């Protein structure tokens, strides 16, 4: 429930004019990172960021309550972590494959992320919060 309310709060606090939207500090600093630092950042963001930690805990709870064997649970969580890291790893892969030719594409992605970061996080928090609330109600009633 708190995650859904956090999503609503983010939505109401988003900049009305997308030209006023700014990148988070960590995202603005990525331009100067080496590929090794990008990989480390992907791992850190998928595990240590408070929003991502919330999603990881929710995913872990869903996976652990699924009733599948422990090995499959570990595999499912590993897949979740890889998918959660794609937002950082995809641009890294584009840069490693295309080098300097990828600069325009990556700049476009960065500008889009700056303009839409808060609305995307708001909707994501709201939807996942409602899903977790529904799961909790289902467990309590069933």
């Amino acid at each position: 429930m708190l995650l859904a309310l956090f999503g609503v709060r983010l939505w109401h606090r988003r900049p009305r004019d997308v030209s006023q939207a700014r990148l988070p500090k960590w995202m603005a600093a990525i331009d100067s990172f080496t590929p090794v630092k990008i990989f480390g950042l992907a791992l850190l963001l998928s595990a240590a960021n408070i929003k991502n930690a919330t999603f990881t805990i929710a995913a872990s709870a869903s996976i652990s309550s699924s009733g599948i064997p422990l090995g499959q649970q570990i595999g499912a969580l590993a897949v979740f972590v890889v998918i959660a890291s794609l937002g950082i790893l995809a641009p890294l892969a584009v840069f490693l494959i295309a080098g300097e030719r990828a600069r325009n594409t990556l700049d476009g992605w960065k500008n889009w992320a700056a303009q839409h970061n808060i609305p995307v996080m708001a909707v994501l928090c709201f939807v996942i919060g409602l899903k977790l609330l529904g799961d909790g109600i289902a467990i309590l009633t069933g």
Side-chain angles (χ1 to χ4, degrees), residues 24-72:
K25 289 179 184 177
W26 66 266
M27 201 181 286
I30 287 178
D31 288 344
S32 63
F33 283 15
T34 65
V36 173
K37 282 186 179 180
I38 293 291
F39 183 76
L41 179 64
L43 293 177
L44 178 68
L45 288 176
S46 66
N49 182 297
I50 205 72
K51 290 178 282 188
N52 293 337
T54 302
F55 296 141
T56 303
I57 291 167
S60 299
S62 294
I63 291 168
S64 68
S65 67
S66 68
I68 59 176
L70 180 61
Q72 290 177 353

Side-chain angles (χ1 to χ4, degrees), residues 3 8 20 22 24 30 42 53-54 70 78-79 84 102 109 114 124-127:
L3 195 56
V8 170
Q20 294 178 348
R22 300 285 177 250
I30 287 178
T54 302
L70 180 61
V79 168
W109 290 1
L124 191 60
C125 288
F126 182 73
V127 169

Side-chain angles (χ1 to χ4, degrees), residues 6-24:
F6 179 68
V8 170
R9 180 174 174 247
L10 278 175
W11 183 261
H12 287 293
R13 291 185 174 198
R14 76 189 187 285
R16 300 291 180 211
D17 181 6
V18 293
S19 66
Q20 294 178 348
R22 300 285 177 250
L23 283 172

Side-chain angles (χ1 to χ4, degrees), residues 73-89:
Q73 289 181 25
I74 292 169
L77 187 58
V79 168
F80 170 82
V81 169
V82 168
I83 292 171
S85 301
L86 287 178
I88 299 294
L89 294 178

